[in-house]
Amino acid sequence: MESISRISSMLDTARELTLEAAQSAGSARTVNTRPLNKDLPFLQVKRLLDSRNDREILEGLRKVISSMYRNKPCLPYFSSVVKNVASPNIEIKKLVYIYLLYYAESEPDLALLSINTIQKSLTDPSPQVRAMALRVMSGIRVPVISQIVSLAIKRGCADMSPYVRKAAALAIPKCYKLDPSTLPQLLEYLSILLGDKQYFVVGPAVMAFLEVCPDRIDLIHKHYRALIRKLVDMDEWGQLATLRLLNAYARKCFPIRKKRLRKSKTQGFYDDEDSEEEKDEPSEEAQLLDPDLELFLRSCKPLLSSRSSAVIVSTARCFLHLGTPEYIDAAIGPLVALLRSPQDIQHIAMYNIVAVCLVRPEAFVQYASHFLVRATDSREISHLKFEVLTLLFSHCQHDMKELILSELEHFTRSVDPTIVQESVRAIGRCAQNNSTASARCLRLLLNQLSSQDGNLVAESLTVIRHLIQQDPQAHVKTVIRLAKNLDTTANPQARASIIWLVGEFSGLPEEDNIAPDVLRILLKSFADESEAAKLQIVLLAAKVYLHYLNGTSTAPAEPSQPETSQTSKDEVFSSQTDLTTIENDWQDPPSSPSKAPALSPSPPPTDHPIPLLWTYILHLTRYDTSYDLRDRARLYRALLDNPKSTQLASLLLLAPKPIPHAPSPSENRQGLLIGSSSLVIGVEAAGAGGLSGYEPLPEWVRDGDEPDPKLRDEGKGGEGGGEKMRGVPAARELDRAVEEKKLGREVRGEKKRTLNDWLDDEGSEEGSTEEETESEDSDDEEEESESEEEGDEEGDRLVKS
């Protein structure tokens, strides 16, 4: 009978294989005539799902899942699909679980019917089935089953398979979202899973911890060193979560401690030479790392060789915010190596490199050639490379500085206007950061003024203006050279910048002052100028006229003041233009009464050109179409027509300007964490607090408020699995070693000697040796005394003889 059953089973198998071969051959012949995703009628699919053949059920489930992901209604198949959840075929189970997770919320009552079957799968011999059942049960978002899910997680935490324990760790956040009241139970499960011996269980447990209770660092104390040991073996996702957790843990548990280091100084020929000078020298401060923090930082170093760019950036973040400069230097090379990645990774890596470079630019000097712009680099990557080059410029050698300036000069001739603008600004930042190279940068920018590109000329003049304002007295000839370019410069912003610079130097002595001549030339074509240039021309005229008024008011003596105050308000302007002649008349002694009416209401007209230019430009602006220009001219006229307001006009027009400082474009992102999306998007788009979900690092704990370091001892239950036992006394260990090596054999019927017996014997031996040495010393003394007595007796004999 047994042979017949074997033969029948073999025949059934052969029949199934024949049918499969026929179906595959038929599908191969009709593959081009029939679409791949042909929908079957509802009754036919339902017939497949209700079949007793696993192959037909599997085909029906595939049709349902395919229709489901094409957004077609598949809810009518719910009862036919769910009843296959008890199938022993694992492929059928997977497809049924996928369907359940998709439609459990819309049909909670029907989904609850399958909970008992899923619970039975938790005791299946296959760990894959048990893990899949736990994952599905936690994914069914029905609040009624929260306690059942919690019990399933408890069973999964005690499972022998690490695959199931990993599924239990991933189910904890789902259970917490389903019912937050289960938090006390979930914290117990988390504590067990954080101490698991398997590294691929600890990683998901850390992720669950960060999602459920990220502030409960008391659960981490006893697992701290175990987490560090398992960090290298985790997968990338587990490493990212663990680095994030331990980074915050270190800030909350390890205070900043610093020690003073005295600079080593060669001493003079004498020891006390320069002792007073050494006392006055300031000592350097160095950060003193906690041993547990240093253990974490040392364990992170192998992660710099990870294949994941996110792990490298996260490790660099730990070194930047926790470590000393030596650790930061170790992370710079792997960060630069990310520039060999695809462009999307390069873009993200450059933002993080700039953030690190703002903190420690000198460490990037040896990699400066890696930041030269390539032809394949995108616009954003080019801008970030320009920024890094400007940050490194002041720390490089002379040859590298010349290479950087040549690189930036090359890109000023780019066809992309944004790259041109950024390269010119980068040259200006190089001159600002390094005063020794400012002359070279200024020459580069002056050479760009002859370009036909208006945007290049305008941006170059803006940067030149900033450089001139840093040291105005050294750039008088530069302003004269710029004024000569007014004949060829057509860009409105460029002309406005040059006119403003000329106005700033309008107070020079008369032999070096070119402002009146420039004003005279500009007024000839005033009507053809742009509005920006017209505003600067009016400002230039006001400054020139104000300097003229100040020069004429300081020349006369004191008796001229009351006389000028008697002039009428309508004739202030005419009287001021002829102040010199009037004051000269007052200085000369009056020879006849005919000279008395020197200050008549209608003074003689003056021939000085500056008041005439001022009057002319006031007439020009009165009829201009720009109301802003007309209002500006009225303001200047009201200030300068009244002699009492010249001091106020000097404060408004001739006040010293603050020295402009062009910060690095990424300085406003300096407080954001590297590796975060808020750093990439920027403060302008993300806001000062970062994007939603952004969590800054906590502040360092104060010295004295940190937790007790003994909490991290593994002897107090360090790992949940109990890898190490409690410490055994040394005496017991020595006794055990003596017994194993058979050193304590019984001799002459004596008992086995213990450690205390050995110690007592050693004490007695030491006592006996001390007594022997004392007896020997006493014998020597007696012999010496006897020899002395014999010597005395021999001396007495010689005397007697």
Side-chain angles (χ1 to χ4, degrees), residues 51-66:
S51 175
R52 296 183 178 181
N53 190 354
D54 289 350
R55 185 176 293 103
E56 293 179 356
I57 296 174
L58 198 57
E59 184 180 357
L61 287 172
R62 286 170 180 168
K63 293 292 183 183
V64 171
I65 300 299
S66 175

Side-chain angles (χ1 to χ4, degrees), residues 253-403:
C253 298
F254 303 123
I256 294 181
R257 294 189 177 95
K258 294 184 178 181
K259 59 180 179 180
R260 295 186 176 274
L261 299 177
R262 189 175 298 277
K263 295 182 179 179
S264 60
K265 184 178 179 182
T266 56
Q267 294 183 353
F269 183 78
Y270 298 101
D271 293 337
D272 55 352
E273 187 177 351
D274 296 333
S275 59
E276 296 180 359
E277 295 181 0
E278 291 181 359
K279 292 179 181 179
D280 297 336
E281 285 185 357
S283 57
E284 296 181 352
E285 286 189 353
Q287 184 178 357
L288 186 62
L289 296 178
D290 189 273
D292 284 332
L293 177 58
E294 194 167 4
L295 173 65
F296 169 53
L297 295 176
R298 284 200 310 268
S299 301
C300 289
K301 279 190 175 181
L303 301 182
L304 294 173
S305 303
S306 175
R307 62 183 179 182
S308 173
S309 57
V311 174
I312 295 174
V313 173
S314 296
T315 307
R317 175 173 59 190
C318 294
F319 289 168
L320 180 64
H321 296 293
L322 301 177
T324 56
E326 291 77 12
Y327 285 100
I328 301 176
D329 295 346
I332 289 173
L335 282 175
V336 176
L338 295 178
L339 298 179
R340 295 193 292 266
S341 305
Q343 278 205 355
D344 53 347
I345 297 179
Q346 285 187 43
H347 190 192
I348 304 299
M350 280 303 304
Y351 279 109
N352 294 282
I353 287 172
V354 171
V356 180
C357 192
L358 286 170
V359 177
R360 190 166 174 78
E362 61 273 9
F364 285 88
V365 173
Q366 57 180 331
Y367 304 102
S369 59
H370 291 75
F371 299 103
L372 300 178
V373 181
R374 301 175 183 175
T376 57
D377 288 339
S378 63
R379 180 187 303 172
E380 292 78 11
I381 294 177
S382 301
H383 292 178
L384 293 170
K385 284 188 175 181
F386 288 157
E387 185 175 359
V388 173
L389 290 176
T390 56
L391 292 173
L392 303 183
F393 184 78
S394 58
H395 302 278
C396 294
Q397 299 295 331
H398 179 71
D399 297 339
M400 184 55 67
K401 289 180 181 178
E402 289 295 327
L403 178 61

Side-chain angles (χ1 to χ4, degrees), residues 373-561:
V373 181
R374 301 175 183 175
T376 57
D377 288 339
S378 63
R379 180 187 303 172
E380 292 78 11
I381 294 177
S382 301
H383 292 178
L384 293 170
K385 284 188 175 181
F386 288 157
E387 185 175 359
V388 173
L389 290 176
T390 56
L391 292 173
L392 303 183
F393 184 78
S394 58
H395 302 278
C396 294
Q397 299 295 331
H398 179 71
D399 297 339
M400 184 55 67
K401 289 180 181 178
E402 289 295 327
L403 178 61
I404 292 174
L405 291 178
S406 301
E407 177 82 358
L408 296 176
E409 183 186 11
H410 170 74
F411 282 97
T412 57
R413 297 185 290 273
S414 176
V415 295
D416 191 346
T418 59
I419 290 183
V420 171
Q421 183 181 21
E422 196 62 33
S423 61
V424 172
R425 291 179 181 178
I427 293 174
R429 291 198 299 271
C430 289
Q432 175 183 290
N433 297 335
N434 192 355
S435 58
T436 58
S438 60
R440 171 87 168 88
C441 297
L442 186 60
R443 286 196 300 272
L444 283 178
L445 295 172
L446 289 173
N447 293 334
Q448 309 301 326
L449 299 181
S450 59
S451 174
Q452 299 298 324
D453 188 357
N455 294 326
L456 172 60
V457 175
E459 194 64 36
S460 299
L461 278 170
T462 303
V463 177
I464 289 171
R465 176 167 60 85
H466 292 169
L467 295 180
I468 290 175
Q469 284 183 263
Q470 294 180 359
D471 190 7
Q473 301 301 325
H475 295 94
V476 177
K477 295 182 179 179
T478 306
V479 176
I480 297 174
R481 178 178 174 180
L482 293 175
K484 292 179 181 179
N485 288 328
L486 282 173
D487 296 334
T488 58
T489 304
N491 188 275
Q493 295 298 328
R495 293 181 67 83
S497 297
I498 295 175
I499 296 169
W500 185 88
L501 281 173
V502 173
E504 286 296 303
F505 286 83
S506 59
L508 295 175
E510 187 175 356
E511 59 274 7
D512 296 331
N513 196 353
I514 62 170
D517 289 335
V518 173
L519 177 62
R520 177 181 58 82
I521 296 171
L522 290 172
L523 289 180
K524 294 179 180 180
S525 59
F526 182 81
D528 300 330
E529 296 285 351
S530 64
E531 184 176 355
K534 286 180 180 179
L535 290 172
Q536 295 302 325
I537 291 172
V538 173
L539 179 60
L540 172 62
K543 289 180 180 179
V544 170
Y545 185 58
L546 181 58
H547 280 297
Y548 168 75
L549 292 179
N550 291 335
T552 55
S553 61
T554 54
E558 292 182 0
S560 63
Q561 294 179 359

Side-chain angles (χ1 to χ4, degrees), residues 50 58 157 159 178 198 323 326 364 465 471 480 533 576 622 625-626 641 652 729 767 801:
D50 295 337
L58 198 57
C157 292
D159 199 282
L178 196 64
Q198 300 293 333
E326 291 77 12
F364 285 88
R465 176 167 60 85
D471 190 7
I480 297 174
Q576 287 178 347
R622 178 181 295 180
T625 57
S626 173
D641 280 358
L652 290 176
S801 62

Side-chain angles (χ1 to χ4, degrees), residues 64-267:
V64 171
I65 300 299
S66 175
S67 300
M68 184 177 69
Y69 282 108
R70 284 183 286 144
N71 293 326
K72 292 188 177 182
C74 297
L75 198 57
Y77 302 110
F78 195 91
S79 58
S80 300
V81 172
V82 170
K83 71 179 182 180
N84 292 309
V85 72
S87 175
N89 192 330
I90 191 170
E91 296 296 330
I92 294 177
K93 278 183 177 291
K94 288 180 181 179
L95 294 178
V96 173
Y97 288 160
I98 292 172
Y99 184 87
L100 269 176
L101 292 176
Y102 195 85
Y103 283 111
E105 282 188 87
S106 56
E107 292 289 338
D109 296 333
L110 294 176
L112 291 176
L113 298 177
S114 60
I115 292 297
N116 292 331
T117 307
I118 298 175
Q119 278 187 294
K120 291 179 182 178
S121 299
L122 293 174
T123 58
D124 194 272
S126 173
Q128 188 177 4
V129 174
R130 297 198 301 271
M132 191 164 50
L134 182 56
R135 190 180 302 117
V136 172
M137 185 178 293
S138 61
I140 297 176
R141 293 182 290 271
V142 180
V144 182
I145 63 170
S146 60
Q147 294 299 327
I148 300 176
V149 175
S150 177
L151 292 175
I153 294 173
K154 181 179 180 181
R155 179 178 294 179
C157 292
D159 199 282
M160 295 296 294
S161 173
Y163 189 73
V164 181
R165 297 200 298 273
K166 178 180 177 181
L170 294 173
I172 288 176
K174 300 177 185 178
C175 183
Y176 176 71
K177 291 179 181 178
L178 196 64
D179 187 6
S181 63
T182 58
L183 181 61
Q185 306 169 16
L186 299 179
L187 291 180
E188 296 178 6
Y189 308 154
L190 268 177
S191 181
I192 295 172
L193 293 172
L194 286 172
D196 200 278
K197 297 180 181 180
Q198 300 293 333
Y199 57 87
F200 50 83
V201 178
V202 176
V206 172
M207 290 189 236
F209 176 85
L210 291 174
E211 195 167 349
V212 174
C213 52
D215 298 329
R216 290 291 304 272
I217 60 170
D218 54 313
L219 299 176
I220 307 298
H221 292 318
K222 57 183 179 180
H223 306 299
Y224 175 77
R225 293 170 187 165
L227 288 174
I228 291 175
R229 285 197 299 270
K230 296 165 187 170
L231 180 61
V232 182
D233 299 324
M234 295 180 186
D235 59 344
E236 288 84 355
W237 297 104
Q239 287 172 348
L240 290 174
T242 307
L243 288 173
R244 178 185 165 195
L245 170 64
L246 296 181
N247 201 352
Y249 179 87
R251 284 293 192 102
K252 294 179 180 179
C253 298
F254 303 123
I256 294 181
R257 294 189 177 95
K258 294 184 178 181
K259 59 180 179 180
R260 295 186 176 274
L261 299 177
R262 189 175 298 277
K263 295 182 179 179
S264 60
K265 184 178 179 182
T266 56
Q267 294 183 353

Side-chain angles (χ1 to χ4, degrees), residues 536-603:
Q536 295 302 325
I537 291 172
V538 173
L539 179 60
L540 172 62
K543 289 180 180 179
V544 170
Y545 185 58
L546 181 58
H547 280 297
Y548 168 75
L549 292 179
N550 291 335
T552 55
S553 61
T554 54
E558 292 182 0
S560 63
Q561 294 179 359
E563 196 65 31
T564 56
S565 63
Q566 296 175 2
T567 59
S568 62
K569 199 168 186 180
D570 296 334
E571 296 174 353
V572 169
F573 174 74
S574 60
S575 63
Q576 287 178 347
T577 57
D578 202 24
L579 278 175
T580 307
T581 58
I582 296 171
E583 288 160 1
N584 289 336
D585 292 339
W586 274 95
Q587 288 174 0
D588 296 334
S591 59
S592 62
S594 60
K595 293 184 179 179
L599 283 177
S600 59
S602 59

